[in-house]
């Protein structure tokens, strides 16, 4: 059967379904379509499927032109109908994997997608799970759920885990040129899933099992979380010692080996780095092991908004002001520069903590015109010289490239810069005005 499937893939007589058309699923669906595969994108959100079908992208990394090209070359159609699974050959699952209220893994989106997929599963189907999850999910949950269809994984249908590594906003590494790890439940599964991806992506890295593939993704993101926590704690320690953390990092980075730069900030955000390591520590807790480094890193990173507010209070104090009653403008509520994703963004906690202390807070973010913050919907305010002049403190929480930092510092009375975005501005301009993290 494997050779037969490979032939169909080569002839592009092979339809791919991408389930979940968000930051991960849409770029992947576009890549397959651009590679000449007919693609059916399935999402429960009709607004997204309607947008795709009318050629409108809602993901900054995908332009309307990319979408149109994908539609022309492969034939990308979007639908909310799971029954379309019956007409495809491969199913790639890219649904969310957030945390529950108690900060445990919430795999309900995977389970709900599987319960639909299972109904239409047929012989020869290839299934790849891309959603980040704890080690064991594919073997222990996905496999038995799909086998309820009466088909056997590894022989009747093929199953693998292939972590998505996309870095939204990254212009150098995209879904196409970021190597793709694939671990199947058996050799045939790894082989056919790797073959499929290798037709549209530059490099595929097959590994020996689903668990290795699942764990490799969690190692990558735990590595980032721990190193960001180290950078954040360095910022706190440098402040106590009266040293500029940014200068320290740049000096350390001149070592040509054994060091990699990570920067501090107001915390960590996004759908991955703050969450994924907790999937791993949760799994280990069920096996009576306490993943200490993950817990400590998470504690440091989630405490950063409180630290930022402390720095703001100190800075206002220097200007004979209290937080209570101050007018504060937060610049950037996306979790990182040049994206519109606000999930887990620390700016939200910074605003909430300032409001608890009695500050009046507005925000500006060119990528996020409206957002629900501290229980209320608000609009991004205009960033004008007058507004900056009338604000007691401006906090740079996201260093979007479009901001004119010189204009901001020139007009603001006080700036707390959590991202070193004001680097390079003249010392005369920033002295007495800019407080760095
Ligand atoms: N965003 C990233 O940078 C990134 C990077 C690597 C890995 N990941 C992982 O990829 C997965 C998806 O993340 P994302 O950022 O694309 O999420 P997202 O929220 O942007 O997109 C998920 C999509 O799935 C849809 N969906 C939810 N339940 C569904 C269901 N039962 N059936 C069909 N569609 C459903 C949602 O409507 C949404 O459009 C997560 O596991 C995440 O951890 C994300």
């Amino acid at each position: 059967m494997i050779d037969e499937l490979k032939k169909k893939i080569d002839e592009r007589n092979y339809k791919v379904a991408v389930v979940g058309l968000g930051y991960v699923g849409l770029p992947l669906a576009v890549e397959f379509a651009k590679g000449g595969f007919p693609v059916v994108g399935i999402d429960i959100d009709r607004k997204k499927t309607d947008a795709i079908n009318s050629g409108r992208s809602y993901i900054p990394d995908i332009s309307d032109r990319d979408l149109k090209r994908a539609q022309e070359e492969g034939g990308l159609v979007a639908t909310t109908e799971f029954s379309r699974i019956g007409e495809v050959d491969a199913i790639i699952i890219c649904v969310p994997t957030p945390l529950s209220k108690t900060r445990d893994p919430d795999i309900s989106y995977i389970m709900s997608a599987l319960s639909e997929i299972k109904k239409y599963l047929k012989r020869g189907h290839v299934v790849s799970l891309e959603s980040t999850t704890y080690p064991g999910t594919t073997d222990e949950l996905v496999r038995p759920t799909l086998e309820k269809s009466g088909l056997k994984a590894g022989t009747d249908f093929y199953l693998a885990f292939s972590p998505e590594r996309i870095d939204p906003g990254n212009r150098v590494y995209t879904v196409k040129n970021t190597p793709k790890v694939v671990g199947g439940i058996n050799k045939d599964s790894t082989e056919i899933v790797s073959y499929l991806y290798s037709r549209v992506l530059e490099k595929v890295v097959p590994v020996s099992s689903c668990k290795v593939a699942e764990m490799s993704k969690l190692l990558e993101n735990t590595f980032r979380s721990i190193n960001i926590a180290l950078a954040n704690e360095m910022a706190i320690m440098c402040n106590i010692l009266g040293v500029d953390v940014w200068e320290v990092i740049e000096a350390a980075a001149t070592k040509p080996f054994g060091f990699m730069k990570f920067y501090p900030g107001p915390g960590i955000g996004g759908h991955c780095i703050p969450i994924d390591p907790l999937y791993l520590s949760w799994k280990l807790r069920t096996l009576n092991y306490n993943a200490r480094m993950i817990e400590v890193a998470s504690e440091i990173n989630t405490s950063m908004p409180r630290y930022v507010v402390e720095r703001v209070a100190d800075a206002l104090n220097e200007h004979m002001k209290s937080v209570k009653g101050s007018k504060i403008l937060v610049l950037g509520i996306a979790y990182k520069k040049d994206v519109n994703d606000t999930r887990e963004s620390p700016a939200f906690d910074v605003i909430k903590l300032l409001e608890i202390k009695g500050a009046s807070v507005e925000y500006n973010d060119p990528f996020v015109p409206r957002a629900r913050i501290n229980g209320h919907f608000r609009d991004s305010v205009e960033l004008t010289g007058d507004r900056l002049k009338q604000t007691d403190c401006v906090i740079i929480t996201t260093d979007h490239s479009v901001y004119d930092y010189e204009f901001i510092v020139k007009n603001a009375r006080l700036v707390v810069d959590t991202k070193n975005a004001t680097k390079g501005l003249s010392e005369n301009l920033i002295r007495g005005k800019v407080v760095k993290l």
Side-chain angles (χ1 to χ4, degrees), residues 171-246:
R171 297 268 161 260
V172 179
Y173 290 106
T174 60
V175 64
K176 185 157 188 73
N177 63 358
T178 305
K180 192 96 174 88
V181 172
V182 175
I185 57 143
N186 65 351
K187 217 168 137 280
D188 282 353
S189 295
T190 308
E191 187 179 338
I192 193 64
V193 174
S194 300
Y195 193 79
L196 176 62
Y197 281 122
S198 69
R199 301 303 98 182
V200 291
L201 308 180
E202 282 179 14
K203 187 170 179 183
V204 173
V205 184
V207 294
S208 65
S209 67
C210 301
K211 253 190 194 159
V212 169
E214 288 160 340
M215 194 65 172
S216 71
K217 173 71 188 179
L218 296 180
L219 169 60
E220 289 165 20
N221 283 359
T222 301
F223 173 86
R224 286 189 67 75
S225 163
I226 287 175
N227 279 287
I228 293 168
L230 176 63
N232 281 334
E233 195 168 43
M234 272 288 161
I236 297 170
M237 294 191 288
C238 283
N239 181 40
I240 293 168
L241 294 167
V243 189
D244 180 340
V245 67
W246 309 96

Side-chain angles (χ1 to χ4, degrees), residues 18-27 42-46 48 58-59 82 93-98 108-114 116 130-133 163-168 217 221 270-272 275-276 279 335-336 341 343:
V18 175
V19 179
L21 298 167
Y23 289 94
V24 164
L26 184 59
I42 303 178
D43 203 291
I44 50 171
D45 184 346
R46 189 174 292 279
K48 286 188 176 156
Y58 43 86
I59 302 282
F82 270 88
I93 306 168
C94 307
V95 296
T97 42
S108 61
Y109 297 89
I110 296 181
M111 296 315 286
S112 117
L114 289 175
E116 288 294 327
E130 292 212 3
S131 305
T132 310
T133 183
E164 180 53 59
R165 294 162 137 179
I166 199 169
D167 178 20
K217 173 71 188 179
N221 283 359
H271 183 41
C272 297
I275 292 174
D276 301 350
Y279 267 65
Y335 83 90
K336 69 171 182 177
D341 191 349
R343 287 178 291 181

Side-chain angles (χ1 to χ4, degrees), residues 327-343:
K327 280 185 79 173
I328 293 178
L329 175 62
V330 167
L331 296 185
I333 62 163
Y335 83 90
K336 69 171 182 177
K337 73 192 280 182
D338 304 342
V339 301
N340 65 355
D341 191 349
T342 58
R343 287 178 291 181

Side-chain angles (χ1 to χ4, degrees), residues 303-378:
S303 71
M304 286 310 284
R306 205 167 280 282
Y307 178 69
V308 171
V309 169
E310 229 175 78
R311 303 281 282 135
V312 170
D314 290 348
L316 283 168
N317 196 42
E318 285 291 308
H319 285 235
M320 311 293 217
K321 289 221 149 69
S322 61
V323 174
K324 195 174 184 136
S326 283
K327 280 185 79 173
I328 293 178
L329 175 62
V330 167
L331 296 185
I333 62 163
Y335 83 90
K336 69 171 182 177
K337 73 192 280 182
D338 304 342
V339 301
N340 65 355
D341 191 349
T342 58
R343 287 178 291 181
E344 308 286 322
S345 174
F348 286 63
D349 283 337
V350 170
I351 294 174
K352 194 172 168 184
L353 290 166
L354 286 167
E355 288 182 339
I356 288 171
K357 286 188 184 296
S360 155
V361 189
E362 292 181 318
Y363 88 91
N364 168 277
D365 193 314
F367 291 87
V368 190
R370 194 168 161 76
R372 189 166 186 206
I373 307 172
N374 204 5
H376 306 283
F377 278 103
R378 315 181 189 190

